[in-house]
Amino acid sequence: MDTLFIAGREFTSRLLIGTGKYPSHQIMQAAHDASGAEVVTVAVRRVNISDRSKESLLDYIDSRKYFLLPNTAACYTADEAIRTARLGREVGLSHWVKLEVIGDEKTLFPDNEALLEATRVLVKEGFVVLPYTNDDPVMCRKLEDAGAAAVMPLGAPIGSGLGIQNPNNIRIIKEQARVPVIVDAGVGTASDATFAMELGADAVLMNTAVALAQDPVSMARAMRLGVEAGRLAFLSGRIPRKAYASASSPLEGTIAASPARV
Amino acid sequence: MPITITLNGEPFSLDHAATIAELLLTLQIDARRVAVEHNFVVLKRDRYADTAIGEGDQIEIVNFVGGGIG
């Protein structure tokens, strides 16, 4: 069976999904089920001290079924990201972290220098670090050398839905990587996920494309099928691209070849 | 004697000195669903009962919320 291994842990689904921006907790839960994902990402935030009435996200995620992956979203320095990762570990009691150090508010592109620094520190502390980074093969190699358990290049800016903007880089990143490559961010619809997988990505992580679709549950299913289709196509070995046609029907025995009627 | 601490970035008054476990109880927070940072050091859950809060301490209490990327 074609399964995904990250840091020695086996996953059957190659779709990782977020928990933000859904119309309701109930819809999120149904979308997660429809997606077939096993890994769900969560953010680490201050508890609202003055208003304790809000329902907990964790009431809608069955921890026996889903593996919780805390992220360090909205951290702008290595120090903030490291602190957030340590806090996330205590909430979830898992030493996995989806590491983000954001470098720019408008594009949400990563600050790769700080990301690399935070990766080194957290790896040393025993974390399984999954860093969100640019679609830059050199940066991905540096992160891998620093001990990242996977590399997570963006397909396009977070939440943009633009699809894979630099397919050639994703292909190169995959070719050189010895750890799984998870395309993280930028997917807008199922064909984007398929394309990422056809390029050789080991998995795709998404949130907005599902959560803000008009029908998130149906889109979650589309994404599941899209990821599966792309993976199968990648493994099947596509035909080479050619400039001219090549007929699939035999050329012999066509009626056009018989003598003309008199 | 009342003490003032910084809790999640805001000033917060306690009637008397307390432990982290007592603070969580006062705030009606389920300790199993949060993590606590005391003066920039993350505490293990089994330390809540014997960690005393002092005047001016900085405390962060966080939990998981919906999020994906960014």
Side-chain angles (χ1 to χ4, degrees):
Chain A
M1 186 151 163
D2 174 45
T3 54
L4 168 67
F5 280 90
I6 308 172
R9 192 181 172 114
E10 187 176 20
F11 300 98
T12 51
S13 168
R14 290 174 181 273
L15 172 58
L16 294 77
I17 198 159
T19 55
K21 295 188 186 172
Y22 288 87
S24 70
H25 284 326
Q26 287 80 3
I27 290 174
M28 176 195 77
Q29 196 171 39
H32 285 173
D33 282 345
S35 76
E38 292 163 282
V39 178
V40 298
T41 61
V42 292
V44 180
R45 290 290 180 274
R46 284 171 168 165
V47 169
N48 188 338
I49 301 293
S50 51
D51 178 13
R52 306 285 310 119
S53 62
K54 275 194 175 171
E55 291 175 298
S56 169
L57 173 74
L58 295 183
D59 292 334
Y60 292 88
I61 302 170
D62 183 350
S63 60
R64 289 160 302 178
K65 197 170 159 194
Y66 295 102
F67 182 71
L68 283 177
L69 180 61
N71 68 27
T72 64
C75 289
Y76 279 81
T77 65
D79 185 53
E80 280 171 22
I82 291 163
R83 279 175 68 198
T84 304
R86 289 174 184 154
L87 283 164
R89 174 164 63 179
E90 283 310 304
V91 184
L93 300 175
S94 138
H95 58 298
W96 288 48
V97 63
K98 177 179 181 304
L99 186 64
E100 299 181 24
V101 186
I102 304 298
D104 177 63
E105 277 179 41
K106 210 165 178 177
T107 58
L108 297 178
F109 284 148
D111 177 335
N112 284 320
E113 204 179 347
L115 180 70
L116 193 57
E117 184 191 333
T119 300
R120 288 199 182 105
V121 171
L122 292 170
V123 166
K124 205 178 265 181
E125 291 183 16
F127 279 88
V128 170
V129 180
L130 314 176
Y132 152 75
T133 185
N134 290 96
D135 51 5
D136 174 358
V138 177
M139 194 59 217
C140 286
R141 188 160 49 202
K142 286 185 182 182
L143 289 164
E144 188 180 325
D145 290 344
V151 288
M152 308 187 77
L154 54 83
I158 293 168
S160 70
L162 286 171
I164 314 302
Q165 295 295 288
N166 204 340
N168 195 44
N169 279 26
I170 299 292
R171 198 181 283 122
I172 293 169
I173 288 166
K174 177 55 199 172
E175 267 179 26
Q176 68 174 25
R178 288 153 295 158
V179 294
V181 175
I182 304 168
V183 169
D184 183 11
V187 166
T189 187
S191 57
D192 297 334
T194 305
F195 185 39
M197 296 305 293
E198 284 173 346
L199 290 169
D202 295 282
V204 178
L205 192 152
M206 64 183 74
N207 190 149
T208 307
V210 172
L212 293 189
Q214 283 184 22
D215 183 342
V217 180
S218 170
M219 186 57 92
R221 182 167 144 73
M223 291 298 187
R224 174 192 195 149
L225 297 171
V227 167
E228 283 177 16
R231 178 65 184 174
L232 276 175
F234 172 72
L235 294 175
S236 305
R238 58 151 301 150
I239 60 160
R241 288 180 172 83
K242 285 183 293 196
Y244 293 96
S246 161
S248 353
S249 310
L251 296 175
E252 283 165 26
T254 63
I255 55 164
S258 53
R261 211 171 179 178
V262 253
Chain B
M1 215 178 78
I3 61 167
T4 304
I5 60 171
T6 303
L7 177 60
N8 284 1
E10 303 282 341
F12 189 86
S13 297
L14 285 165
D15 293 342
H16 51 83
T19 63
I20 296 290
E22 286 163 347
L23 174 66
L24 292 176
L25 202 63
T26 308
L27 296 171
Q28 294 182 289
I29 290 172
D30 182 348
R32 291 166 303 176
R33 292 207 161 166
V34 298
V36 180
E37 194 189 64
H38 180 226
N39 294 335
F40 303 98
V41 178
V42 178
L43 295 176
K44 297 275 173 207
R45 277 178 198 151
D46 58 12
R47 297 289 318 280
Y48 293 174
D50 60 18
T51 302
I53 301 166
E55 175 69 31
D57 280 1
Q58 297 236 17
I59 293 177
E60 294 282 350
I61 306 175
V62 301
N63 62 355
F64 285 157
V65 301
I69 321 157

